[in-house]
Amino acid sequence: MARDSEYILTLLKEYGMVTDEQIASARDHALESEFGEMDIIDALVEIGAVNEDELLAMLAQQYGMEIMDLSGYEIPAEVIASLDVDIARHYGVIPVAKHDDMLTIAMSDPADMETLDTLRYLLGGDVDAVAAPKKQIQQIIDQFYAEKEEESGGLLSDAEDVEIEEVAESNIGGPEREDDDTPIIRLVTKLIVDAYKMKASDIHFEPMEKRYRVRYRIDGALREVDGPPKYLQANFTSRIKIMSRMDITEKRIPQDGRIQVIVGDKDVDLRVSSIPTVFGESVVMRILDKSSIQLDIPKLGFYADDLDLVNKIINYPDGIFLVTGPTGSGKTTSLYAFLNTINTPARKLITVEDPVEYQLAGINQVQVDRYVDMTFSAALRAMLRQAPNIIMVGEIRDVETAEIAINASLTGHLVFSTLHTNDAPGAVTRLVDMGVKPFLVATSLRAVMAQRLLRRVCKDCKEPYTPSAGEIRVLGLTPEYLANHQFYKGKGCQTCGYTGYKGRIGIYEIFEVTEDIAKLIFANETSGRIREHARKNGMRSLRDDAIRKAEAGISTLEEVIFVTLRDDS
């Protein structure tokens, strides 16, 4: 609430409406309130020191604003529809009249000039104001919501019993917590809870020309769900931006925010991103369930031979271990599992991440913040002065970060990090292309692990099937091979949303830098040559590992081809 509370206190004292003792009591009451951020004027009203109607009359007179009695006053539908209801509730205002281009709104705080300025910006026109009791404004807003709920049909009524508990420091509603019983709030809550229960990784709110599309990403694939009608698009965007503490008045540039909630008894973080599009702002919520992160390496999907190799690599005393793959391929989960496994009281572990997605017990985690020049390279330099044994850099993005990480590995530190490359040997070329000298890569790099996520066949509708001619041709399967292996697929059921898949498992390509490989890197050989040598010496490709998992009935050959399309060697 944007008002000069100390100025209003001075006015109240001049009018003889409060005493110093009452002000002191109100300050104590405000400090004892939730979050300790209650406004002193609201505290005076709450403890009964000031009558709300008298306060309104005094402020209206001081700011030259008329007082309007809204009881029994009928506002034309076209007038009340001129302001998004979610915004009206957030600012505690309601449109009451419209003449030509002038919109008149009723507000309960005549001193809140910032709200008037914000509304003028949002509406792109003239806005005038009258004063009205807060309860009357609230009643009209609630009535308008009820009418909209009827128009929205069953979608809103389905959200009746859905609840999210806010974390104390969450961004939902902020310190001045909003009433969570409005239809828009309940519907946003329902979509979040449903996405969480369906194990979606993110929610996409996408404005189309004639509709407002909502999609969940489940097991890596987008699935459309019932969304709100198009006319609620602005309300939804405003509500989500309010929850994540974005600027609802700014619609021209991308914004980022964060929401923390408890669904059931689980802590859930929502990373929110908005970007302007032709038909409105597109919003994506990434769901980070702290309880779902898998910190047990064997459960990531390694076969015994790969597991032995990984355990050997992560227990090296020094060097660099890189994990590569596209966004959403599980790199962070793998790194967290590695760190959790080697985290002992005898070792000091520090990470620098952008962002810190999950908090790990016993590990010092640093958040990148470009606004204060806390970049990966700057944080990495500072971390080295903390005398760590093991370092994790969220991503190597430039030569400066790469060189600092390499120098750290050469001075006795084990360094974990990620790169965006299509395969494991490609990380060598990527580092050299960045500007790192080949001899430094050869001496510091211990191993690279490329990974992807393969969808699992749904256990509830799993059945044998015969691979198609196209699958046999693409994968080069021989008749003898087919005769000795049985493959499975899901026919589709309610459990898997009729997709045939439920859950995902990792597939891995582990490239160990042996003495021979180091010589090839030192000689600045091509990625293809290095890969060829590694394959001859037993490195399995992503496709090899994926086919092994299809053979075991974990996934399908169709999924193998889709996920490893680039890896046909």
Side-chain angles (χ1 to χ4, degrees), residues 247-510:
D247 184 356
I248 66 171
T249 66
E250 181 55 76
K251 302 179 181 181
R252 303 163 299 174
I253 60 174
Q255 294 188 65
D256 295 304
R258 180 185 180 191
I259 306 166
Q260 290 179 280
V261 295
I262 297 175
V263 181
D265 60 348
K266 306 293 186 182
D267 290 337
V268 179
D269 274 6
L270 303 172
R271 299 294 165 84
V272 187
S273 170
S274 73
I275 188 170
T277 69
V278 174
F279 300 113
E281 289 181 278
S282 173
V283 178
V284 175
M285 288 182 172
R286 185 178 183 193
I287 302 172
L288 302 174
D289 178 8
K290 297 177 182 178
S291 64
S292 69
I293 184 170
Q294 183 55 256
L295 298 178
D296 189 0
I297 294 179
K299 293 182 180 179
L300 294 179
F302 291 104
Y303 280 112
D305 51 356
D306 285 342
L307 183 60
D308 290 342
L309 180 55
V310 165
N311 281 325
K312 181 182 82 170
I313 294 167
I314 65 176
N315 282 289
Y316 281 138
D318 55 26
I320 296 180
F321 184 18
L322 295 176
V323 180
T324 76
T327 300
S329 60
K331 299 188 299 296
T332 299
T333 299
S334 294
L335 286 174
Y336 280 169
F338 298 159
L339 293 177
N340 186 64
T341 300
I342 59 179
N343 181 22
T344 66
R347 292 168 166 162
K348 178 164 184 173
L349 282 71
I350 304 182
T351 74
V352 54
E353 305 169 60
D354 183 22
V356 175
E357 294 189 3
Y358 301 95
Q359 294 173 356
L360 302 175
I363 296 177
N364 301 277
Q365 294 174 271
V366 178
Q367 170 77 52
V368 167
D369 188 347
R370 294 176 186 81
Y371 294 108
V372 293
D373 291 329
M374 177 65 85
T375 60
F376 277 116
S377 56
L380 189 49
R381 284 195 203 90
M383 286 162 54
L384 292 174
R385 294 193 287 271
Q386 295 282 308
N389 301 102
I390 297 163
I391 295 168
M392 195 269 273
V393 184
E395 183 181 349
I396 293 178
R397 296 178 178 175
D398 53 53
V399 65
E400 185 180 13
T401 304
E403 288 179 342
I404 298 171
I406 286 173
N407 288 332
S409 72
L410 295 174
T411 54
H413 302 86
L414 180 60
V415 180
F416 294 89
S417 192
T418 70
L419 274 179
H420 288 287
T421 61
N422 292 325
D423 62 3
V428 172
T429 306
R430 180 82 179 94
L431 289 171
V432 173
D433 288 345
M434 278 185 181
V436 181
K437 292 180 172 55
F439 79 89
L440 289 175
V441 177
T443 52
S444 63
L445 192 62
R446 294 288 178 266
V448 183
M449 183 179 80
Q451 71 175 75
R452 303 287 189 278
L453 293 175
L454 204 66
R455 288 187 294 173
R456 291 176 177 267
V457 174
C458 176
K459 295 179 180 178
D460 290 353
C461 59
K462 183 177 181 179
E463 62 181 13
Y465 87 105
T466 302
S468 68
E471 291 170 344
I472 294 172
R473 184 182 66 257
V474 171
L475 296 174
L477 306 180
T478 64
E480 294 78 19
Y481 176 86
L482 292 170
N484 293 317
H485 293 88
Q486 178 64 66
F487 296 95
Y488 295 86
K489 71 187 305 182
K491 64 180 180 180
C493 65
Q494 189 171 358
T495 301
C496 61
Y498 300 96
T499 63
Y501 298 98
K502 184 70 175 177
R504 289 190 289 178
I505 189 171
I507 56 172
Y508 305 95
E509 175 180 280
I510 305 174

Side-chain angles (χ1 to χ4, degrees), residues 151-168:
E151 295 175 20
S152 299
L155 187 62
L156 288 176
S157 61
D158 288 344
E160 286 291 341
D161 300 324
V162 180
E163 292 183 358
I164 286 180
E165 181 183 346
E166 302 172 20
V167 179

